[in-house]
Amino acid sequence: MLTSRAARSRCGPAGASARRRRVIALVALTGALLAQGPAAQALDALVRTPVPAAEKSYRSARDALRAGVREYNAGDKEGAARALEYAAGQGHALALWKLGRMYAEGDGVPHDDLKAFEFFSRIADASTDDGGDAQNAAVTGSAFTALGSYFLDGIKGTYVRPNPERAYDMFNYAASYYGDPNAQYNLARLYLDGNGVEADPRQAARWFNLAAEKGHHPAQALLGDMLVNGAGGLPQQRVKGLVWLSLARDGVQSRKDEWIVALYDKNWAAASPDDRNEAQTQLQTVGSIKRKN
């Protein structure tokens, strides 16, 4: 059962704990429904993936994971996939996550978003309240974020249909309990666009800020644009916005981020000389702090 918008808006530890229990219960319930057979798969989209048995046996899941990482780094991605499948069959979260990433990107295996979705779903299905160690927490947060992205757009030709409200649940869980910056960014986008949740520019700015402070460049760019222009009724903070836009611009590494450059150029050109000078001064301070750290 999806959480209601009224329930999402509640604040404080009690409300947050209730939301967390609902997401965990949702994952567990869906796994039970899907175990009933193919007809039940239409009811939801989280499913346990039957992992193919690896040809080679290993002493343990950890041993298989080490072998998979070693073979992947050596360029033997087919061998890596076989080793990771063994570890994944033992429920090893990091192996499940790495296989999900490989299928999502077509990295050494055929591109298959549904398989990726199902590997990530197994991680979500096994998640617990305590979150585990730092590495497993990061993997679990990333898995919920990936599921949110699949729910947002759906997977064409499969039972995974676009479901913005379910995407909200996944992003909110990963952002709130695991601090995943990609989830925080995606959650902010939902609030900004009013997609799957009521539009709320202040909440969007809040989540963009959390991701931006972790070095998430798209979040820095959109937060900067909001602050420069006072978007959605936010108070204008032109200098602070220009600083965020500059940090985002400095982090651009590929053509897919060209929109960040365009956003920076537009806002920088429209800024007053005083605002640009003050932003440059603050950027020098930020650079000095980074070098010390």
Side-chain angles (χ1 to χ4, degrees):
M1 179 179 296
L2 293 174
T3 56
S4 67
R5 289 191 178 117
R8 294 177 196 144
S9 65
R10 288 183 299 183
C11 300
S17 178
R19 287 196 300 275
R20 184 177 192 180
R21 289 195 298 272
R22 276 194 296 275
V23 173
I24 293 174
L26 170 66
V27 172
L29 175 61
T30 304
L33 286 172
L34 291 168
Q36 297 173 9
Q41 292 187 2
L43 298 177
D44 215 308
L46 294 179
V47 60
R48 294 180 179 86
T49 306
V51 180
E55 296 176 2
K56 183 178 179 180
S57 61
Y58 299 89
R59 290 175 297 177
S60 66
R62 186 179 294 275
D63 181 47
L65 176 66
R66 289 196 188 102
V69 171
R70 184 170 59 249
E71 290 168 1
Y72 183 92
N73 290 335
D76 181 8
K77 294 185 179 179
E78 289 185 6
R82 288 192 295 270
L84 292 170
E85 283 167 0
Y86 181 93
Q90 308 301 310
H92 199 294
L94 187 55
L96 287 164
W97 179 84
K98 183 59 180 175
L99 281 170
R101 295 292 302 168
M102 289 174 73
Y103 277 104
E105 298 171 3
D107 183 15
V109 294
H111 175 261
D112 191 328
D113 282 320
L114 184 59
K115 274 192 175 182
F117 175 90
E118 292 174 346
F119 279 121
F120 294 134
S121 295
R122 291 190 64 196
I123 298 172
D125 190 41
S127 65
T128 59
D129 281 326
D130 59 24
D133 58 34
Q135 184 181 67
N136 278 337
V139 165
T140 303
S142 178
F144 272 101
T145 302
L147 290 173
S149 297
Y150 282 125
F151 277 124
L152 190 61
D153 298 324
I155 302 175
K156 188 175 181 180
T158 75
Y159 57 83
V160 184
R161 302 285 189 263
N163 190 332
E165 289 197 346
R166 181 63 62 79
Y168 172 93
D169 289 328
M170 298 295 119
F171 290 144
N172 187 49
Y173 189 63
S176 300
Y177 297 106
Y178 297 100
D180 186 278
N182 289 317
Q184 291 168 341
Y185 169 76
N186 285 312
L187 185 59
R189 290 296 302 266
L190 294 184
Y191 275 116
L192 189 63
D193 301 334
N195 189 14
V197 67
E198 186 175 351
D200 189 335
R202 291 183 180 275
Q203 282 287 354
R206 170 178 174 258
W207 288 109
F208 278 141
N209 187 73
L210 287 170
E213 289 179 344
K214 295 172 183 173
H216 194 285
H217 301 307
Q220 292 171 339
L222 291 180
L223 176 62
D225 185 60
M226 291 183 76
L227 293 176
V228 168
N229 297 291
L234 293 174
Q236 281 186 303
Q237 300 181 62
R238 295 184 183 88
V239 172
K240 188 174 182 179
L242 291 173
V243 170
W244 279 124
L245 281 160
S246 298
L247 291 172
R249 172 65 180 84
D250 290 345
V252 168
Q253 295 180 342
S254 64
R255 292 179 61 85
K256 69 181 178 63
D257 290 332
E258 287 181 354
W259 66 271
I260 293 177
V261 178
L263 202 60
Y264 165 86
D265 289 343
K266 181 190 75 172
N267 283 287
W268 195 264
S272 69
D274 287 344
D275 286 343
R276 288 198 295 265
N277 288 337
E278 179 59 25
Q280 290 282 16
T281 299
Q282 292 191 21
L283 282 166
Q284 290 174 4
T285 302
V286 170
S288 176
I289 293 172
K290 285 184 175 180
R291 285 192 293 273
K292 289 179 182 178
N293 292 336

